[in-house]
Amino acid sequence: MSDGFQEKVPIDRVAVRKEILRLSLPIAITSLAQNVYHLIDSFFLSVLGEEALSALALASVLQTILNTLFIGIATGMNVQIAKAMGERSLLSARKGVCSGLLLQALLAAGIAVGGRFFVRPYFAASSEHLLVIEYGCVYLLPAATFCVLTALQITFERILQAIQVPKLSMVSQITGLTVNLLLDPFLIFGAGRFKGLGMQGAVIATLTGQLVAAASAFFFLLRTKGELVTKLFRTVPPDRETVRSIVSVGIPASMVSILTAVGYYFIHRLLIAHHDTANAVFGIYNRIETFLMLPRQAISIGTMTLFSFYVGRRDTPKLKSVFFQAQLISALWSFLCMSICMLFSGRLMQLFHLSGETFRMGFACFSIIATTYLPSGFIAIMNAFFQSTGKSRYAILFILIRQLVRIPTAILLFRTGNIDRIWWSWPISEIASDLMTTLLFMKHFRRVEQTVGTRIGAARP
């Protein structure tokens, strides 16, 4: 055809759903494994005392922010490489790997240097307990100094996801977690003549696990797509346009997570002002929500890879099919999570030994916030589309509007004197941000559809 339109080829919807799940399930399994490990790690360190747990909690806040920056750059690489693979352009994919590694190295160097100056002041400002400060510095200083291991692990695993072999990414991460878990009790508590290293042993185990995971992922990459990384910097210099493309996706992706964390921080402050019980309830809800939402986040990541691939392939029908099938899968999972929170919130709270007023408060928290799961599931796929098609700033705008509505609304509801009303700030902010995002998406989707369709038509004889 030469009329600028694609031939109408039937799309196998079941095959598209299987492809989405093939990319998403390994990511979900890995995320669940990481969360289980963090719980076990906390259990080991709890033997050292409450000070060790407090130091770990404070360190985790800063580590999460720093890791979010690495993940942001890796997400930009994922989009760039997946698009290049769709275009069948090995050169563009190699430029994506080279430019992304350079950005990660610069970021890791900056964190390693900055950690020497800011880690101790951070803990000193966060706690007056000398042992907490000391434990925190012992843990976070080496983690910041050798954060290049974190960067390499995240980067190589995201490249494996971009070339659509997520099972190998899963294997590398679980291998690293297993090594970490095996070393933890030995290095923390010791065995035989070996004296345990305490908190220092925990960070050594973590860094060793990251090294093993990074090496495993790199080995898998060499075996499956070695041409992406062999003789890289000698044959393909970092490309300014590629760097700009990665950063334009990576920074907004990081900012979304950071803004979400900031919003939760303000909610915590409000609840603490009421009573520690209310904050404890919200903390328990956060832990349960994290487990419930991990598969949905994995669906978004897997879908983003497919979006980038089919944009690069300039396949509009497949792009549409991936979007609608991903929406269906995300909606089904969101509905399941909503049902669990509404119907079984009592059983969930009993796991944490909540009773009386705490139990009643938890029931209100779970049942009200759960009403937002279904619409937020649709928006998650839209944000994945934004990130994979060069409009990551729309995802930032979405989360910014959500927080700008949620926090003031929560403050106003808090002042009514009924703490249960604060949870209504979730559906109120969801409605405002979702309406804006949907309007932006409809306009952007039509633009992408026309652009991709025009390129397809122009490419045909």
Side-chain angles (χ1 to χ4, degrees):
M1 293 179 68
S2 58
D3 56 0
F5 295 94
Q6 285 181 283
E7 298 93 335
K8 292 185 178 180
V9 180
I11 301 295
D12 187 342
R13 297 177 182 178
V14 175
V16 171
R17 284 198 292 270
K18 287 182 178 179
E19 188 69 6
I20 294 170
L21 293 174
R22 184 183 71 82
L23 293 176
S24 304
L25 285 178
I27 301 172
I29 292 170
T30 304
S31 298
L32 290 169
Q34 286 177 328
N35 275 268
V36 170
Y37 162 73
H38 288 316
L39 291 175
I40 297 173
D41 193 40
S42 298
F43 170 76
F44 286 143
L45 291 177
S46 67
V47 179
L48 301 179
E50 292 182 1
E51 294 85 0
L53 281 180
S54 180
L56 181 64
L58 290 172
S60 296
V61 173
L62 203 55
Q63 268 191 308
T64 299
I65 294 175
L66 297 179
N67 288 348
T68 294
L69 297 174
F70 288 127
I71 291 170
I73 298 299
T75 300
M77 287 182 66
N78 185 312
V79 170
Q80 178 70 25
I81 295 168
K83 183 180 178 182
M85 298 303 291
E87 295 171 341
R88 299 183 178 90
S89 174
L90 179 61
L91 178 61
S92 295
R94 283 169 62 84
K95 284 182 179 179
V97 175
C98 185
S99 301
L101 285 173
L102 175 64
L103 288 170
Q104 297 285 46
L106 292 174
L107 180 58
I111 292 172
V113 173
R116 293 290 175 183
F117 297 98
F118 298 113
V119 166
R120 185 167 290 276
Y122 166 74
F123 283 103
S126 303
S127 176
E128 296 179 355
H129 200 299
L130 293 179
L131 189 55
V132 171
I133 296 172
E134 191 59 33
Y135 272 145
C137 292
V138 167
Y139 186 88
L140 199 55
L141 268 174
T145 302
F146 297 100
C147 66
V148 65
L149 296 177
T150 307
L152 290 175
Q153 178 189 351
I154 292 171
T155 300
F156 292 143
E157 287 168 353
R158 282 302 178 94
I159 295 174
L160 288 172
Q161 292 170 15
I163 61 176
Q164 301 187 28
V165 283
K167 286 184 179 179
L168 296 181
S169 174
M170 178 184 70
V171 171
S172 69
Q173 288 194 48
I174 291 180
T175 301
L177 287 173
T178 302
V179 170
N180 194 343
L181 190 60
L182 292 174
L183 289 177
D184 251 348
F186 175 71
L187 292 176
I188 293 173
F189 307 118
R193 294 183 179 181
F194 177 75
K195 186 179 179 181
L197 300 175
M199 184 67 83
Q200 189 178 32
V203 72
I204 292 174
T206 299
L207 292 173
T208 305
Q210 289 176 346
L211 175 62
V212 171
S216 300
F218 185 69
F219 172 77
F220 291 143
L221 189 55
L222 286 176
R223 293 292 300 270
T224 56
K225 208 74 176 176
E227 60 268 26
L228 278 179
V229 291
T230 51
K231 300 180 181 179
L232 195 61
F233 286 90
R234 281 191 287 172
T235 57
V236 181
D239 179 75
R240 180 180 298 180
E241 182 61 28
T242 305
V243 168
R244 186 198 65 77
S245 178
I246 292 173
V247 170
S248 68
V249 174
I251 291 180
S254 300
M255 289 302 298
V256 167
S257 299
I258 292 172
L259 286 172
T260 301
V262 169
Y264 274 30
Y265 171 78
F266 279 106
I267 298 296
H268 277 297
R269 292 293 299 270
L270 279 177
L271 296 173
I272 289 172
H274 174 77
H275 199 279
D276 283 340
T277 299
N279 191 49
V281 167
F282 187 53
I284 290 170
Y285 166 78
N286 280 337
R287 292 188 186 96
I288 293 174
E289 184 198 44
T290 298
F291 274 98
L292 291 176
M293 291 296 111
L294 283 175
R296 198 175 75 181
Q297 293 173 8
I299 292 167
S300 298
I301 295 172
T303 302
M304 184 170 60
T305 299
L306 287 177
F307 282 152
S308 302
F309 180 81
Y310 286 120
V311 166
R313 187 60 60 88
R314 299 172 181 176
D315 192 335
T316 308
K318 275 288 182 67
L319 196 62
K320 286 183 177 180
S321 184
V322 168
F323 174 76
F324 289 115
Q325 297 307 314
Q327 287 283 22
L328 175 62
I329 296 171
S330 180
L332 290 173
W333 182 257
S334 299
F335 182 77
L336 175 62
C337 294
M338 182 179 70
S339 301
I340 290 172
C341 285
M342 287 185 167
L343 299 176
F344 304 104
S345 56
R347 293 184 179 274
L348 291 173
M349 286 183 287
Q350 286 174 357
L351 295 175
F352 295 89
H353 309 290
L354 299 186
S355 60
E357 177 64 15
T358 309
F359 185 92
R360 186 203 59 76
M361 195 180 298
F363 182 80
C365 171
F366 276 77
S367 59
I368 294 173
I369 297 180
T371 61
T372 66
Y373 287 177
L374 195 56
S376 66
F378 292 121
I379 298 300
I381 303 302
M382 293 183 190
N383 282 334
F385 187 83
F386 288 146
Q387 291 179 330
S388 61
T389 52
K391 291 295 181 181
S392 296
R393 62 180 180 271
Y394 289 168
I396 290 185
L397 186 60
F398 159 75
I399 200 68
L400 187 61
I401 290 177
R402 174 184 281 180
Q403 301 304 336
L404 288 175
V405 174
R406 179 176 296 170
I407 295 171
T409 303
I411 293 172
L412 291 174
L413 294 172
F414 175 77
R415 290 177 177 174
T416 65
N418 186 341
I419 194 64
D420 290 343
R421 292 175 183 171
I422 197 173
W423 313 122
W424 286 104
S425 61
W426 262 257
I428 292 171
S429 60
E430 192 71 38
I431 291 171
S433 56
D434 289 1
L435 285 175
M436 182 277 301
T437 303
T438 302
L439 292 173
L440 286 175
F441 176 80
M442 291 170 64
K443 181 179 179 181
H444 179 58
F445 192 88
R446 284 196 296 267
R447 188 185 301 119
V448 170
E449 184 181 6
Q450 292 169 359
T451 303
V452 173
T454 301
R455 288 177 179 173
I456 293 171
R460 294 185 181 277

